[in-house]
Amino acid sequence: MCKVSILVPVYNVEAYLPKCLDSLIGQTLREIEIICIDDGSTDRSGEILDEYAEKDKRIRVVHQDNGGYGKAMNAGLHFAQGEYIGVVESDDFAAPEMFSQLYKAAVQNRAQIVKSNYYRYWDKPKEKIKKEPLLKYLPYKQVIHPWAYQRLFRIQPSIWSGIYQRAFLEQNQIAFLETPGAAYQDTSFTFKVFAIAERIALLSDAFLYYRQDNFNSSIHSAEKAEFVRAEYQEINTFLGQSKKYQTLYRIRNQMMFHTYLWNYVRLKPELCADFLQQMRQDFLRLRESGQLELQEFVKSDKKMLQLLLEQPQEFLQREKRLMQLRGKISSRAYRALLIGCTAGTGAMLQAIMRRLMRK
């Protein structure tokens, strides 16, 4: 019996692929299948997959025309036969005990989902590993219902740090949105599994090494702003299917605000005005439909969103003071400054800017 189907979406990662595959064929859990979906690679990735499949019959290679991450993942779900589904990105790699420990926790807890922490990994200019406490402030060693711990919805989607019961996914028709490219397609998938699941087990251990130094990765592709909007449109459609999901509007709104903002601060300056207008329209529609209340946000977020909705030109004027810092400080720092600027904390902002510009 196949206990875990490991899906590996692949596109032009010949430099990293062998390390990924070696980590999977070396798993201590032997009852696995490794489904590699070659999404129209133009480098040697497809050849490498075929070579590995010849050596290990647990590897199944699916070659397809380039259709994007969502389409590749859905192809993997279609072919999967395992009791649980796992995901490993083809530029990442897994500790040998990863799927043994995740599967053990799933069986012991009769869990529909098991999530763990993960490592951030660099090998340039020298190897560096940092544990990411993804599940901090959430209870370990017990089964939880996501609605009782809505902090879970706010964590990075990180679908590759857990496993998902295949029967649960199939019964609830949970799949990936098939937008082009590879950006944000795990957003609506993650929201749906947390919204529907009733039994989730969390592990404090980390097993997956999430590569940070692949500069061809989708997180560096700033032009894909439209895809995040498509993911939240999908979430909105899902929430509209049942009145029981109305209690999740608040968490959806907060996630949407911070995801849009996370995306916004990574855009090229010439793309910002258009995306900001789209963001404004999306939140206006939520407010007009009665699904958005500004008081559900913390004070600084509330002020920023209120300014965007009611005085968009003023919002843009205030941000012009920050534009000189784009690319000079981290995206996280820039986002904090943007919130401070638009929330009206001008004195503090100016002091911080003067200090940064002296560096």
Side-chain angles (χ1 to χ4, degrees):
M1 180 188 75
C2 179
K3 294 179 178 178
V4 179
S5 297
I6 305 171
L7 310 187
V8 186
V10 177
Y11 182 71
N12 289 354
V13 284
E14 61 181 2
Y16 307 111
L17 189 53
K19 188 177 186 73
C20 173
L21 295 175
D22 288 340
S23 77
L24 298 182
I25 61 179
Q27 289 293 304
T28 56
L29 181 68
R30 306 306 296 170
E31 300 93 336
I32 62 174
E33 63 174 355
I34 304 165
I35 303 176
C36 301
I37 309 95
D38 174 23
D39 193 37
S41 295
T42 57
D43 65 359
R44 288 197 64 253
S45 294
E47 297 173 36
I48 294 171
L49 292 175
D50 291 337
E51 291 168 3
Y52 270 82
E54 285 293 320
K55 300 174 185 176
D56 193 319
K57 298 306 179 184
R58 296 175 301 169
I59 297 177
R60 177 174 185 170
V61 181
V62 178
H63 295 285
Q64 64 181 35
D65 293 336
N66 182 254
Y69 184 90
K71 189 172 183 178
M73 291 297 292
N74 287 339
L77 290 175
H78 172 75
F79 289 109
Q81 297 296 313
E83 186 181 354
Y84 283 83
I85 304 289
V87 179
V88 175
E89 304 285 0
S90 48
D91 53 352
D92 301 334
F93 60 97
E97 72 279 12
M98 176 172 178
F99 290 101
S100 174
Q101 292 300 311
L102 293 177
Y103 181 77
K104 178 181 177 181
V107 173
Q108 288 180 342
N109 293 286
R110 295 181 292 111
Q112 296 158 314
I113 303 168
V114 179
K115 289 283 289 181
S116 66
N117 291 307
Y118 66 90
Y119 296 108
R120 293 186 181 272
Y121 176 81
W122 297 259
D123 65 5
K124 297 174 184 177
K126 62 180 181 179
E127 187 174 61
K128 177 183 174 183
I129 300 171
K130 180 182 179 182
K131 186 175 180 179
E132 183 71 15
L134 179 72
L135 307 174
K136 190 177 181 181
Y137 307 122
L138 289 165
Y140 299 118
K141 298 182 180 179
Q142 69 182 71
V143 175
I144 67 169
H145 192 299
W147 289 29
Y149 294 91
Q150 292 192 5
R151 178 184 292 270
L152 189 61
F153 284 86
R154 297 191 182 97
I155 66 173
Q156 178 184 356
S158 58
I159 57 172
W160 25 259
S161 68
I163 57 175
Y164 309 83
Q165 188 180 53
R166 182 165 64 91
F168 163 75
L169 296 179
E170 292 178 349
Q171 289 166 7
N172 292 285
Q173 299 181 321
I174 300 174
F176 292 83
L177 201 59
E178 295 189 2
T179 47
Y184 303 107
Q185 285 93 342
D186 52 0
T187 303
S188 60
F189 176 91
T190 303
F191 189 94
K192 290 176 187 178
V193 297
F194 287 161
I196 298 173
E198 297 177 349
R199 298 184 63 84
I200 297 183
L202 306 178
L203 302 182
S204 61
D205 302 291
F207 306 105
L208 193 285
Y209 293 81
Y210 176 40
R211 186 177 293 277
Q212 303 296 292
D213 48 15
N214 176 8
F215 293 101
N216 292 319
S217 171
S218 62
I219 64 171
H220 297 280
S221 301
E223 291 82 359
K224 297 177 180 178
E226 187 62 26
F227 298 153
V228 70
R229 297 183 64 235
E231 290 294 313
Y232 275 95
Q233 288 166 9
E234 176 69 13
I235 290 172
N236 295 342
T237 299
F238 166 76
L239 292 176
Q241 294 175 357
S242 173
K243 289 185 177 180
K244 71 178 181 180
Y245 294 134
Q246 290 181 2
T247 187
L248 296 177
Y249 286 167
R250 180 174 181 268
I251 191 69
R252 182 272 316 272
N253 295 342
Q254 294 172 350
M255 289 173 57
M256 183 172 162
F257 173 76
H258 286 286
T259 305
Y260 275 37
L261 189 58
W262 187 92
N263 182 78
Y264 176 75
V265 299
R266 285 161 173 77
L267 289 174
K268 295 178 180 178
E270 62 267 25
L271 300 173
C272 288
D274 285 345
F275 181 76
L276 206 63
Q277 180 60 22
Q278 294 167 347
M279 177 178 175
R280 178 174 180 268
Q281 291 301 322
D282 289 347
F283 278 97
L284 282 174
R285 277 190 287 269
L286 290 178
R287 188 166 70 173
E288 290 165 1
S289 66
Q291 297 182 31
L292 175 67
E293 296 291 342
L294 290 179
Q295 58 262 33
E296 66 196 17
F297 292 87
V298 298
K299 185 177 180 180
S300 58
D301 293 353
K302 174 186 173 182
K303 287 186 175 182
M304 179 180 180
L305 187 53
Q306 188 170 19
L307 185 68
L308 174 62
L309 295 180
E310 298 174 4
Q311 297 177 274
Q313 293 306 313
E314 175 65 16
F315 183 101
L316 288 171
Q317 286 298 318
R318 292 192 186 188
E319 198 205 352
K320 282 184 178 180
R321 292 182 285 172
L322 298 179
M323 282 294 185
Q324 59 187 314
L325 295 177
R326 272 187 179 260
K328 296 180 180 179
I329 61 175
S330 70
S331 297
R332 179 176 294 182
Y334 187 86
R335 181 176 59 180
L337 286 173
L338 179 60
I339 292 174
C341 175
T342 55
T345 53
M348 181 181 294
L349 171 69
Q350 293 300 327
I352 294 172
M353 285 185 66
R354 285 194 296 270
R355 183 173 181 180
L356 286 171
M357 295 306 293
R358 285 199 300 266
K359 293 184 177 181

